[in-house]
Amino acid sequence: MDFSEKDSVDAVVASFADTPDPRLREVTESLVRHLHGFLRDVRPTIAEWEKGIEFLTAIGQKCDEHRQEFILFSDVMGASMLVETMEAARQAQDATASTVLGPFHVVTSPERELGDSIDTLGTGEACLIEGTVTGADGVPIPGARIDIWQADEQGAYDVESDRQPLGNGRGLFTADDEGRYRFRSIVPSHYPIPTDGPVGDLLTATRRHPYRPAHVHFIVEAPGYVPVTTHVFVDGSPYLDSDAVFAVKQSLVREFATVADEAEAARHGLPNPFRRARFDVVLQPEGPA
Amino acid sequence: MDFSEKDSVDAVVASFADTPDPRLREVTESLVRHLHGFLRDVRPTIAEWEKGIEFLTAIGQKCDEHRQEFILFSDVMGASMLVETMEAARQAQDATASTVLGPFHVVTSPERELGDSIDTLGTGEACLIEGTVTGADGVPIPGARIDIWQADEQGAYDVESDRQPLGNGRGLFTADDEGRYRFRSIVPSHYPIPTDGPVGDLLTATRRHPYRPAHVHFIVEAPGYVPVTTHVFVDGSPYLDSDAVFAVKQSLVREFATVADEAEAARHGLPNPFRRARFDVVLQPEGPA
Ligand SMILES: [Cu+2]
Ligand SMILES: [Fe+3]
Ligand SMILES: [Fe+3]
């Protein structure tokens, strides 16, 4: 019998019937249902569908070692944040909230000592970021690993910028015996996600702005705990209420307060005044939540 | 307010609210609904979603001048055929049925004279394919353009094969004053769609075979008529009932009869015996169906 609109889902789902991995079978079946549902809703002409194929192809072809345009597409469609939110719902509620990874975790962060600066250029507003990594019981986690990456004061990551050497704005730290970490940096700027690719074209065509509020990325992990991928957002930044990738959680916004204290500035090797933020991280123990 | 599973569709749809083109707005809104619906159904872990992103990225990166892996993905998911079927439903029912374009229309067919062979190697079983292009009213369409491409007797297209020069198995013909066309070729083999990419990996993982029944591709067009993209399928070919891309329509299957006729063979410049198929093409006039 010929393929028909009415039976299309059944015909294609049937072709996947012998899939040995039950999870893969479930995923392909659901993908067929929603893909065909989308097509039946919008009823694209062949020419429109070809444009869609070209768009997806261009996204794949824009990807390279330092650029992940498909993550960007997932981000602006809210897909990354939805997956993130569903995964977070499996976690304990008293741990630090997670948020999206984003497309810029493409360079291994250089190992640095506590108190080091992750900014090697010093062109932005100096700041100190510090906190303690603990379990949900409040017990410090010595030796926790803290992977940091951020944009600079102009809103660019090292991989996007000729001004910055690779590794600038990145650091991998190890918490001290009391679970504490601290590092120097500059206050990151809000920034546009990369707009020179097909995802940027989509935002332009749909009159969406490409901006994300200012933030610093964290991945914190320690043996025996569930790692957390998150951000700390800079309070007062523009776009906190319209993040292009939907990733803001109120519990992750922190004040970067201005501190004028000559002695304290000297102690940390910072100019006076400087900005200071505290971001304590609570990890959930591994095992059943 | 934080992004939530419950409100994810509304939040992302709202971000597209200022899209000036109403069609683009409709498409993005439906895409958000079905994409989020898919994600809520399968509830991927972040690691699974990363695998999905990697899969889509690999599909894009597999594409080049002679390879269109995203069309292939659309084909094996039945999406191409569903779009095809919905477009066909808009056309007159008495015109020749259309079917998928497929991923191999990537080389411009060389212009050839009626009666020429599209096969320059002569390693397969010789055949003659002929027909008349008419309107639905039966009136011939002189000067109709007939673009042909096919796999060889081993099931390979020129772009897939070191044996074949580019343009082999392809031809662009112009119907004569009575709307007739004819060309020599070899009987194509059934063939596997390309399996050395991510789509092939998907078929392997899901235990789907990659085969398509033997066929010759046609695009037929003439001024004032709706062009048709179709195939003629070789009757008796394996996989007519399980085409990997769901593209078989019964009305497109033709007998490639064996003809033993010394004079007729000589007249067409063919060995005796040879195979012969007739495929008349009916085009729908442009304008409201
Ligand atoms: Cu759906
Ligand atoms: Fe970022
Ligand atoms: Fe084909």
Side-chain angles (χ1 to χ4, degrees), chain A:
Chain A
M1 234 195 23
D2 288 1
F3 191 89
S4 70
E5 184 180 338
K6 189 172 65 66
D7 299 322
S8 76
V9 168
D10 290 349
V12 182
V13 165
S15 76
F16 285 107
D18 294 335
T19 303
D21 177 350
R23 176 60 171 162
L24 181 59
R25 183 173 164 181
E26 181 184 17
V27 169
T28 53
E29 182 166 331
S30 178
L31 180 58
V32 171
R33 280 186 201 291
H34 290 284
L35 175 59
H36 288 218
F38 166 67
L39 294 172
R40 280 196 311 266
D41 267 9
V42 303
R43 306 189 82 76
T45 62
I46 287 174
E48 285 179 324
W49 188 233
E50 283 172 0
K51 270 177 82 173
I53 298 269
E54 276 166 33
F55 176 67
L56 292 171
T57 303
I59 292 176
Q61 304 230 310
K62 189 73 187 172
C63 297
D64 63 28
E65 186 190 5
H66 290 150
R67 177 79 176 251
Q68 226 308 351
E69 191 83 355
F70 254 117
I71 292 184
L72 206 57
F73 184 49
S74 169
D75 288 352
V76 302
M77 296 305 290
S80 302
M81 198 55 192
L82 177 55
V83 171
E84 210 313 295
T85 301
M86 292 189 297
E87 180 129 335
R90 295 181 194 116
Q91 311 292 336
Q93 294 307 301
D94 44 7
T96 295
S98 52
T99 191
V100 300
L101 178 67
F104 290 115
H105 194 240
V106 284
V107 171
T108 302
S109 298
E111 190 91 37
R112 302 192 197 266
E113 299 294 316
L114 291 178
D116 276 0
S117 181
I118 64 172
D119 175 73
T120 58
L121 301 174
T123 49
E125 199 180 358
C127 76
L128 180 72
I129 299 177
E130 63 199 327
T132 302
V133 182
T134 65
D137 50 8
V139 174
I141 307 175
R145 301 280 281 170
I146 301 126
D147 187 357
I148 302 290
W149 66 107
Q150 70 164 63
D152 70 6
E153 83 287 359
Q154 295 182 41
Y157 285 86
D158 55 353
V159 291
E160 297 178 289
S161 167
D162 291 336
R163 298 187 308 276
Q164 301 176 55
L166 276 190
N168 195 57
R170 300 179 192 266
L172 186 54
F173 296 92
T174 304
D176 70 12
D177 288 350
E178 294 169 64
R180 295 174 305 190
Y181 73 89
R182 72 184 172 285
F183 60 92
R184 288 173 293 152
S185 186
I186 55 172
V187 180
S189 173
H190 60 279
Y191 64 80
I193 59 172
T195 54
D196 61 335
V199 171
D201 296 343
L202 175 68
L203 295 185
T204 303
T206 58
R207 300 286 190 279
R208 282 181 53 174
H209 81 250
Y211 289 97
R212 302 211 55 211
H215 60 274
V216 176
H217 292 264
F218 282 69
I219 295 176
V220 182
E221 47 194 357
Y225 292 88
V226 180
V228 66
T229 298
T230 191
H231 299 174
V232 59
F233 291 93
V234 179
D235 195 18
S237 171
Y239 307 109
L240 275 172
D241 57 359
S242 67
D243 184 356
V245 307
F246 310 97
V248 176
K249 291 183 176 175
Q250 290 309 318
S251 68
L252 300 174
V253 180
R254 290 290 180 281
E255 194 186 0
F256 281 59
T258 301
V259 176
D261 182 327
E262 200 71 59
E264 191 66 0
R267 196 163 76 86
H268 292 293
L270 287 163
N272 190 41
F274 62 98
R275 305 270 300 270
R276 185 169 198 162
R278 165 162 286 274
F279 184 55
D280 295 321
V281 176
V282 179
L283 296 183
Q284 182 198 351
E286 271 176 356

Side-chain angles (χ1 to χ4, degrees), chain B residues 126-141:
Chain B
C127 76
L128 181 72
I129 299 176
E130 63 199 329
T132 303
V133 182
T134 65
D137 50 10
V139 174
I141 307 175

